[in-house]
Each structure stands twice: as structure tokens, then as C-alpha cells.
Amino acid sequence: MTRKNQTLGEFIIENQASFKYSSGELSRLINSIRLAAKVVNHEVNKAGLVDIIGAVGETNIQGENQQKLDVYANEKFIQTLTKRNIVCGIASEEEDDFIAINSQDENHQNKYVVLIDPLDGSSNIDVNVSVGTIFSVYRRVTPVGTPVQLKDFLQKGSEQVAAGYVVYGTSTMLVYTTGAGVNGFTLNPAIGSFYLSHPNMSFSEEGSIYSVNEGNYQDFPLGIKKYIKYCQEEEGDRPYTSRYIGSLVSDFHRNMIKGGIYMYPKGSRNPNGKLRLLYECNPMAFLAEQANGKASDGYTRTLDVIPTALHQRVPFICGSKKMVEKVEEFMQEFGE
Ligand code: AHG
Ligand code: MN
Ligand code: MN
């Protein structure tokens, strides 16, 4: 059940029963992410003040403020999930290896692992442009009470039980799915609560926005070049316009609301694409499918790719269904 203006806390409780594994554990996990998101949001909003605070010599907090925000966000999400004893393992863009939690404790019954991109679009921080956090949740495949293993993280995207993102934009939103549609919650900073503002989010079948770093055009596979030209041609009455923020979360969020496609294809500099399968592409692909959109590497459904490494990269094409299908047609016809 969704009611506009419900708080996220109320929504989690009221919808817990509809989740197929409902035991309260996933609800506690989403609650922890909600908490960490608020803490990181507070820090992201202060990013422009770092020099000012430094200049007046408030050394007590200066050190923390000067810490890179992606490191700060990483610590906050890991701390929140670890201290509250919510998950059995975490993998992050900022950590070479996965982190096993309480693996020595035989009574440790937590079933879930989380993968995160703590700060997505970090090149946009210094210029006051939206950034985000992405998360992906799986049930472990190894038995509870034993140390978590790499194979608990290397699951196909189709096995995800929840995924979402936080966008720290003109307002801060938390958008997530547990496999029953996608809902978006906006933070009221005065009160510190997220409210359901965007129930049942959905991509339109067709869209008009294409988002790609065209600076890499020369490097793109021929199929992608042809698709971009198709969007640019004046023949007929094509509605396309280009928008590229350079943070996946923000580009995806806009495209889901307005209708569009995001592309990060392979190129000579990024022979497998740039984006990471496990904590960037898969969570976005799960959200896209739950919102009537589509995600692929140009040939294969993203959620069907079998992962082989924690930080694996894949080409990523995601958004309105008909637009993604069009790219796949061009890839079939013109290929690399
Ligand atoms: P991150 O900041 O987590 O490393 O991710 C950046 C990613 C993604 O968010 C964005 O869409 C893409 O990199 C932008 O890459 P280009 O600057 O190469 O276009
Ligand atoms: Mn990222
Ligand atoms: Mn990142």
C-alpha cells in the first residue's frame, strides 16, 4: 500500500508483509541506509563550506571536513551497517576486498550482503552538481553462521532482493525497490524525515533524452555511433535531446522521470565499459526493470550477466524500453 506523504519509516513497516522473505531484517537494513543517507547528505551539503570553515580555523572539525567525501560516505555507510549488526558482509567501490562482519560469531544469523557505491559522480562534488549513493542487496548463498564468501557477492543481478539510490540534488531523495515497483522519498531537511513523494515510479516506453559522454564518441562501437546519429538526424520528426550530468544516479533519476536512455559503452580507454557491474549497473538495472524500463550491455540483459570479479566493469545501456531496444537493434546490425 502506498500513500503519498507517508514517511519512509511508515512505508517500510506497512509494506514489510508484502516482501516475500519478510522477517523484518530487510526492513532494518533499509532503515540503516536511510540513516546513513541522512548523515552523508548533511556532509555533502556542507561541501562548499570546507574552505570557509578552514579559514576561520575551526580545527576540531576541519580534519573531517577535508576528508574526501567518497571516503567519508564509505565510512558512514559501512559504520551504520556494521554497528547495527544488520548484514553479514559489505562490498564497496572504495574497498579492494569485501568486508566480512562478525564472521567468527556462530550465532550470527544475518542473511544479507550489501554492495555500495558510496559516492557516485564524485567529480561533481567540487562544482555543486548532484551526486548520489547506490546500493544493492542479496541474500547470502552460503550458510548463516559461517564466514561470508566471495560467491555471496558474485550473484547475478536477477537475484537481488533490493536495490536503490540516494540522490543528493536540489532536494535529497531515496529511491528504492524490493521487487514490487519503485518508490521515491524526498527528505524534508527541517524535520529530517523522508516522505513518499514519487510512488510507483516508471519509465515511459519511449523517451526523448539520450545521456552519453559524447567526448568519447570516436571510441564508441559502430552500433552506438549509429544510434547517436539516429538521435541527431532531422529526418522525420525526432524528438531527441542530449543531457549528461556525469553522475549515473542523477542521469538515471532524470531519465526515469522524463523518459530517456543512459549509455556508457565500451571504448579503447575503457575496453569493458567504465561502470561497475555489481554496485552501479545491477542495482540500476533492477530499478529500471521494476520501473518498466530495460538495461543491457547492448546484447545481453544486465541482470543475466554472470559476475566473475567484485569490481568488474561492463558496458551499460539503460532506460526507456523502446530506446534500449533500438540501441540493441543497432548493435546487432553494426556491432563493434
Ligand atoms: P564514481 O564517481 O562512483 O567513480 O562514478 C562515476 C561514474 C558515473 O557516475 C558517471 O556516469 C560516469 O562515471 C561518468 O564518467 P565520464 O566522466 O567518463 O563520462
Ligand atoms: Mn559511481
Ligand atoms: Mn563512487
Side-chain angles (χ1 to χ4, degrees):
M1 190 187 76
T2 59
R3 250 186 308 112
K4 240 186 162 175
N5 294 328
Q6 242 174 336
T7 65
L8 175 53
E10 287 166 345
F11 180 91
I12 290 170
I13 293 165
E14 286 176 29
N15 288 277
Q16 186 174 305
S18 64
F19 179 63
K20 65 178 169 179
Y21 304 112
S22 170
S23 67
E25 201 177 325
L26 186 68
S27 300
R28 289 195 299 129
L29 203 165
I30 303 286
N31 257 319
S32 297
I33 288 172
R34 170 182 72 154
L35 179 66
K38 284 194 236 178
V39 174
V40 172
N41 171 65
H42 184 66
E43 202 65 20
V44 167
N45 282 337
K46 288 196 304 194
L49 283 170
V50 170
D51 291 340
I52 300 166
I53 292 169
V56 295
E58 289 189 20
T59 46
N60 54 338
I61 48 170
Q62 189 178 337
E64 197 171 66
N65 277 326
Q66 282 175 338
Q67 203 171 21
K68 282 188 73 185
L69 268 177
D70 37 15
V71 175
Y72 179 87
N74 186 49
E75 276 173 10
K76 287 301 160 205
F77 275 94
I78 290 175
Q79 266 173 20
T80 310
L81 292 166
T82 310
K83 282 200 180 144
R84 307 178 111 215
N85 196 15
I86 302 281
V87 291
C88 55
I90 304 172
S92 162
E93 181 193 346
E94 303 298 333
E95 306 283 335
D96 291 346
D97 211 347
F98 64 85
I99 299 167
I101 298 166
N102 277 2
S103 55
Q104 307 308 320
D105 178 358
E106 284 182 16
N107 297 321
H108 185 62
Q109 295 299 305
N110 289 340
K111 294 185 288 290
Y112 295 106
V113 296
V114 175
L115 298 100
I116 50 170
D117 177 352
L119 207 85
D120 174 66
S122 36
S123 70
N124 280 324
I125 291 167
D126 294 346
V127 290
N128 212 353
V129 172
S130 303
V131 293
T133 295
I134 309 173
F135 63 92
S136 166
V137 183
Y138 293 87
R139 280 167 78 88
R140 64 184 299 178
V141 288
T142 56
V144 289
T146 64
V148 76
Q149 293 177 38
L150 183 59
K151 63 179 167 192
D152 293 314
F153 297 91
L154 299 187
Q155 299 189 51
K156 281 200 303 187
S158 54
E159 299 298 318
Q160 285 171 105
V161 294
Y165 60 81
V166 184
V167 56
Y168 311 98
T170 41
S171 55
T172 292
M173 282 188 70
L174 194 152
V175 175
Y176 79 101
T177 182
T178 52
V182 177
N183 291 288
F185 300 82
T186 302
L187 180 66
N188 179 338
I191 296 167
S193 294
F194 283 100
Y195 290 90
L196 180 59
S197 52
H198 294 63
N200 303 314
M201 296 179 84
S202 178
F203 279 92
S204 51
E205 287 253 300
E206 269 289 5
S208 57
I209 298 170
Y210 69 98
S211 312
V212 64
N213 185 343
E214 283 187 70
N216 297 330
Y217 182 87
Q218 291 304 334
D219 258 4
F220 288 156
L222 187 58
I224 299 292
K225 286 181 173 169
K226 292 276 189 190
Y227 178 74
I228 292 172
K229 285 290 160 220
Y230 162 87
C231 292
Q232 293 171 342
E233 270 164 20
E234 283 177 29
E235 176 199 320
D237 194 16
R238 298 221 175 107
Y240 300 107
T241 187
S242 166
R243 292 282 184 278
Y244 188 71
I245 295 169
S247 67
L248 169 64
V249 167
S250 317
D251 281 307
F252 178 98
H253 185 71
R254 180 206 50 241
N255 291 350
M256 180 159 64
I257 290 171
K258 294 196 164 179
I261 188 169
Y262 176 93
M263 300 183 279
Y264 211 110
K266 62 167 95 168
S268 53
R269 260 178 295 173
N270 303 299
N272 298 312
K274 178 184 179 189
L275 300 182
R276 276 59 55 104
L277 173 64
L278 292 177
Y279 44 81
E280 291 182 312
C281 305
N282 272 340
M284 291 315 206
F286 187 26
L287 287 160
E289 290 195 5
Q290 285 295 316
N292 300 314
K294 192 174 159 105
S296 88
D297 64 2
Y299 305 98
T300 307
R301 180 187 180 222
T302 303
L303 297 180
D304 285 338
V305 174
I306 295 168
T308 53
L310 218 44
H311 300 287
Q312 177 177 351
R313 297 171 194 268
V314 286
F316 191 52
I317 319 290
C318 176
S320 291
K321 203 179 276 173
K322 293 244 166 77
M323 295 180 89
V324 175
E325 283 166 359
K326 196 67 166 174
V327 172
E328 287 177 332
E329 278 172 33
F330 276 90
M331 291 303 288
Q332 281 296 338
E333 193 177 344
F334 300 104
E336 311 297 308

